[in-house]
Amino acid sequence: MQAVPREACFPLPTHHSRGPGRQERCPAFAGRERRFADQSSFWAIFMNNPRLKSIVKLFETCRYSHDLYTVFSDWCECVAISLSNPIDLVHFDKREARYLEIARKYDRPTMATFTQIMGEVTMAMEDRPQDILGATFHALELHNKAKGQFFTPYTVCQLMARMLAGSQEDMRASIEKRGFMLAMEPAAGSGAMIVALAEAIREAGFNYQQLLHVTAVDIDRRAVHMAYIQFSLLHIPAIVLVGDSLAMRFHEEWHTLAHIMGGWNAKLREAQREGKGAAPTLTPAVPGNDSLQPAQPHAVKSESTSFGVEKTGQLRLF
């Protein structure tokens, strides 16, 4: 008995005819091909990153009983709270109540999965600095639901960070001038740019955990949680703010352990008093100050703070 070709029973939708002797690509199939072609570089990274594959697999186990977008957002918030509460007692009660509110939505096995995911994320960041949460967000295809929100590929962030950070001599001059380097990130996303900057500083032979301070802002609370988690795991001294960098309105702040242990509130105040310190437009808040006020317009023109903000008001890294 002669086997019947599969195509004879189920014609593949790769072509369709428009008139005699004319065949064209099926729009649906062609669109799918373009989609995977556009993401080919990402999927190559995905296939070569076993940690990322494990994280995605664990998140996928929650898909059948919960909305995956909500699960990812809740996981990020729970982990951020877990990292913040032992060190930020000012916001402890409010954040602990929020953590318990989220935990009540899930059963014990799901919360155990949350713990496993945290372990995989920690090990991924231990392997090397990387934007593991941004990659997870894309691998789960959650960016399709997030109003067109896409995170910059980490390889692009690495290129930009090395260009902006400059040479080893440039970094040394910046450190000798004020005792540390200051990074301002007005649209942090998952924090990939800062992670790449920390990696570039480390490659230049400097300890970013002692010589770099970051103030990062994003209008999306989930993005702030993602950035805060990655900064905390890399022990980057940072304040991460929920707010609008353009309108200069900020209403929530997250301090990393490295920021608190390093005494950075005092360091920044001292540097600002000596005319070397923090940019005035994003003054780091001390714990307990829930309302972050923008600086007065004349402060931007001050010579003593010009390294953080250009005369035009444009933020820059150093």
Side-chain angles (χ1 to χ4, degrees):
M1 181 177 179
Q2 184 177 4
V4 179
R6 182 173 181 269
E7 291 79 1
C9 300
F10 304 100
L12 297 177
T14 56
H15 297 80
H16 68 286
S17 298
R18 288 185 180 177
R22 183 179 179 184
Q23 288 189 328
E24 296 181 0
R25 305 293 291 172
C26 173
F29 189 80
R32 187 178 180 185
E33 282 189 322
R34 284 194 300 270
R35 173 188 166 199
F36 284 103
D38 293 341
Q39 297 182 354
S40 59
S41 59
F42 169 77
W43 287 111
I45 295 172
F46 174 77
M47 295 304 295
N48 293 325
N49 192 332
R51 297 289 183 192
L52 177 58
K53 293 171 69 174
S54 297
I55 294 167
V56 170
K57 185 177 180 180
L58 287 168
F59 270 117
E60 289 286 356
T61 62
C62 305
R63 183 186 292 274
Y64 304 104
S65 54
H66 302 280
D67 174 65
L68 198 54
Y69 185 85
T70 302
V71 169
F72 182 82
S73 298
D74 286 345
W75 179 88
C76 289
E77 187 168 6
C78 283
V79 172
I81 291 172
S82 298
L83 293 170
S84 171
N85 272 4
I87 57 175
D88 189 350
L89 300 182
V90 173
H91 301 98
F92 178 89
D93 292 337
K94 180 180 178 181
R95 289 176 180 170
E96 185 69 11
R98 174 58 180 161
Y99 179 94
L100 295 175
E101 179 185 351
I102 295 172
R104 282 192 288 268
K105 295 163 54 178
Y106 301 100
D107 55 19
R108 189 178 295 273
T110 303
M111 293 303 294
T113 301
F114 278 19
T115 304
Q116 289 180 280
I117 294 171
M118 180 56 187
E120 291 290 344
V121 170
T122 302
M123 294 306 298
M125 300 300 282
E126 185 72 16
D127 291 341
R128 66 181 186 278
Q130 57 182 304
D131 180 24
I132 190 67
L133 294 183
T136 301
F137 188 76
H138 276 271
L140 293 171
E141 297 190 339
L142 300 179
H143 57 286
N144 292 333
K145 300 180 181 180
K147 300 179 181 179
Q149 183 180 42
F150 297 89
F151 294 120
T152 306
Y154 188 65
T155 50
V156 176
C157 293
Q158 287 177 308
L159 173 63
M160 295 173 63
R162 288 165 183 161
M163 292 172 62
L164 291 171
S167 65
Q168 186 182 52
E169 290 72 23
D170 294 332
M171 296 185 199
R172 181 176 289 107
S174 179
I175 294 169
E176 291 175 352
K177 178 180 178 181
R178 64 185 69 91
F180 57 87
M181 292 174 281
L182 182 69
M184 311 292 292
E185 173 57 284
S190 59
M193 186 67 187
I194 297 299
V195 172
L197 176 63
E199 183 181 19
I201 293 172
R202 188 183 69 173
E203 289 175 351
F206 300 103
N207 186 350
Y208 67 82
Q209 297 177 347
Q210 297 178 356
L211 299 174
L212 171 68
H213 187 271
V214 173
T215 302
V217 184
D218 203 280
I219 200 168
D220 183 359
R221 292 184 73 249
R222 183 196 57 251
V224 165
H225 296 151
M226 294 167 69
Y228 179 76
I229 292 167
Q230 299 195 130
F231 296 168
S232 296
L233 292 177
L234 291 175
H235 203 62
I236 298 175
I239 299 175
V240 192
L241 307 175
V242 180
D244 188 341
S245 298
L246 297 178
M248 297 304 296
R249 289 194 295 266
F250 314 106
H251 53 270
E252 192 174 337
E253 58 189 270
W254 297 77
H255 302 79
T256 64
L257 175 63
H259 168 86
I260 294 175
M261 288 185 62
W264 278 96
N265 280 339
K267 288 181 182 179
L268 293 171
R269 284 196 297 266
E270 179 66 21
Q272 191 170 22
R273 185 164 54 248
E274 295 178 358
K276 304 176 182 178
T281 52
L282 290 178
T283 304
V286 296
N289 182 12
D290 290 325
S291 178
L292 304 182
Q293 299 296 330
Q296 298 301 320
H298 69 272
V300 176
K301 300 179 182 179
S302 172
E303 292 295 329
S304 64
T305 56
S306 61
F307 82 90
V309 178
E310 302 285 359
K311 292 182 179 180
T312 60
Q314 174 66 46
L315 296 174
R316 58 189 174 91
L317 281 173
F318 297 103

